Amino acid sequence: MPIPGHIDPVPVARPLPARPDGRVDLIGLSRDQLRAALAEAGMEPRQAKLRAKQIWHWLYNRGATDFAAMTDIAKAQAPWLAERFAIGRPEVVEAQVSTDGTRKWLLRSPDGQDYEAVFIPDADRGTLCVSSQVGCTLNCRFCHTGTMRLVRNLTAGEIVGQVMLARDALGEWPSQPEGRMLTNIVMMGMGEPLYNFDAVRDALAVVMDGDGLALSKRRITLSTSGVVPMMARAGAEIGVNLAVSLHAVTKAVRDEIVPLNRKYGIEELLQACADYPGANNARRITFEYVMLDGKNDSDDDARELVRLIRHYRLPAKVNLIPFNPWPGAPYACSPPERIRAFSNIIFEAGISAPTRTPRGRDIDAACGQLKTAAAKKTRAELDREGEAALG
C-alpha cells in the first residue's frame, strides 16, 4: 500500500543540483567529510586534518561566514579556500515578527526552493522550529503544510543552516551554553523528519556536537506523524526526545485526519512508542493533539487517550493544540471550555496535558500554518489564470 500523499517517499536520496558557482558548501558536513573535502580539493592530508579542525571551530563556535575572518589560517590560503568552498546561509526571502515576538523566516535554497523556520521566544527558553522537507507528503487534513506537494528533502546543510541563521539573527556568536536565547530545537517545521532520516540525523549530529553548536540532545525534539519502521532507528542513531502527532484515538478519525494511520495504525504506533530507546519518566514522549471541534474532542476521546497511554505503559505527556485556522480549512477549533474539560480528564488521570498557547498566528507561524511559495502552481493553473485575465 503506498503511503498517502502526493509522492510516496523512497529511501534513496534524490540528487540535488550543484551550486551555480560550483563551490562545495561546508555547512552540514561532519568533521570527517570536511577533512575529506579539503583533501579532495588538493590540500595535503595532514594539513587538511588541521585545517578541518580550525574551520569547524570558526563555523560552529564563532559563526564565521568568511574565510578571511579565520585569523589562525594563513591569509594567503583564504582566497584558495574561498574559490573552492562556500559557507552557506539560506537566502532570506522574507522575515516577519509577530506581535508576540515570534519570528518567521521564508528561506530559499540555491536551486530556488522555499521553506520556513520559526523562532518562538519564552521567558525561560527560546525554541527554533526547523523544517526537514520542502513541502510535505502526508496530507494531514488539519495542517496547512500538508496541503502542499512534496518538492524535495532538505540537505543536512540546509537543516543546520536554519540554526545558523537563527543564531545570526539573535546575535549569539560565539557559541556558548549559558545566556543564549536559542535553547531548544524542535523538528516540527515543514515535512516529516523520518522521511528524510539520513539528513536529519547528520544535521542533528552537527547541532549536538559539544565543540560547535553544542545543544544537548535533551533540548532537541523530533516530531513524527508515525513512521513506525524508522522510530527505533531514530532513538538509537539520533537519541533526541520524541514527539508523536497523534491527534485522534480511534481508527476512523485518525484515518481521516492523519492518513498515514492507514499504513501504520494506532496500536502499531503506540507499541513503537513503548519500545522507543531512552524514553522514561525523565524523558517523556510527547503526544501532540490538535483540538478539532466535534471531531476528536469529546470526554470519551479523552478517556480513551488515557486508557491507551496506560495500556502501553507510556511515560507520556499530552500537548493540546488549539486548531490554528487557515483559508479553506475543513475544521474549526474546539471551544475553550471543551479544551479545558478534555485537559482536566487527562490531568485527573495523573498525566500532564497542558494547552499550548498559540504563537505567531498573525504571521501564519503557528502550529500547522506553515506553507510557502514552494507550493508551485501547475502549468494548467497558470494557463487558467491567464485565460481569466484576458476575459
Side-chain angles (χ1 to χ4, degrees), residues 241-272:
N241 301 318
L242 179 68
V244 173
S245 295
L246 188 63
H247 306 308
V249 293
T250 65
K251 173 175 169 53
V253 175
R254 197 164 193 269
D255 280 355
E256 174 189 334
I257 66 176
V258 185
L260 185 64
N261 194 69
R262 301 170 196 165
K263 189 174 181 72
Y264 308 115
I266 293 175
E267 293 80 8
E268 191 178 358
L269 171 59
L270 295 180
Q271 186 58 55

Side-chain angles (χ1 to χ4, degrees), residues 35-228:
R35 176 188 51 76
L38 295 174
E40 188 175 333
M43 189 176 288
E44 189 271 326
R46 288 183 63 183
Q47 187 183 36
K49 184 177 180 180
L50 171 63
R51 291 287 181 252
K53 182 178 180 180
Q54 294 169 321
I55 291 172
W56 177 277
H57 174 82
W58 280 102
L59 295 181
Y60 298 118
N61 191 274
R62 305 300 292 271
T65 58
D66 188 343
F67 293 106
M70 300 179 184
T71 54
D72 54 357
I73 292 176
K75 288 185 179 180
Q77 196 167 58
W80 184 91
L81 290 167
E83 183 181 346
R84 293 160 176 80
F85 301 105
I87 304 172
R89 291 291 193 273
E91 176 191 350
V92 178
V93 179
E94 185 178 19
Q96 295 175 277
V97 181
S98 167
T99 54
D100 63 24
T102 298
R103 303 188 188 199
K104 183 175 79 168
W105 295 279
L106 173 61
L107 307 174
R108 181 164 296 160
S109 64
D111 63 330
Q113 304 300 341
D114 294 349
Y115 51 102
E116 292 178 331
V118 175
F119 177 72
I120 306 164
D122 282 304
D124 61 343
R125 67 174 60 189
T127 302
L128 182 68
C129 184
V130 175
S131 293
S132 57
Q133 295 179 310
V134 180
C136 189
T137 190
L138 293 180
N139 283 358
C140 296
R141 293 197 67 214
F142 59 86
C143 180
H144 202 197
T145 314
T147 66
M148 297 173 61
R149 285 177 170 81
L150 175 65
V151 179
R152 69 165 172 85
N153 289 334
L154 294 178
T155 66
E158 289 167 335
I159 295 169
V160 175
Q162 294 170 66
V163 185
M164 307 287 278
L165 177 77
R167 282 273 183 87
D168 292 345
L170 297 170
E172 299 202 335
W173 303 109
S175 183
Q176 55 189 15
E178 302 298 330
R180 60 190 178 196
M181 293 176 64
L182 200 170
T183 61
N184 293 66
I185 288 177
V186 291
M187 297 299 305
M188 295 183 184
M190 296 169 60
E192 164 56 62
L194 295 188
Y195 279 152
N196 188 16
F197 182 86
D198 289 352
V200 168
R201 176 200 59 205
D202 295 349
L204 291 181
V206 172
V207 170
M208 293 185 288
D209 191 289
D211 293 330
L213 296 176
L215 267 79
S216 165
K217 67 180 181 180
R218 296 180 181 275
R219 291 189 170 271
I220 300 174
T221 299
L222 183 149
S223 177
T224 179
S225 291
V227 185
V228 169

Side-chain angles (χ1 to χ4, degrees), residues 6 27 42 79 97 109 124 143 176 217 236 245 275 292-293 295 300-302 307 329 333 375:
H6 301 290
I27 297 298
V97 181
S109 64
D124 61 343
C143 180
Q176 55 189 15
K217 67 180 181 180
S245 295
D275 296 336
L292 304 174
D293 187 24
K295 177 60 64 174
D300 286 344
D301 288 322
R307 187 194 71 79
C333 183

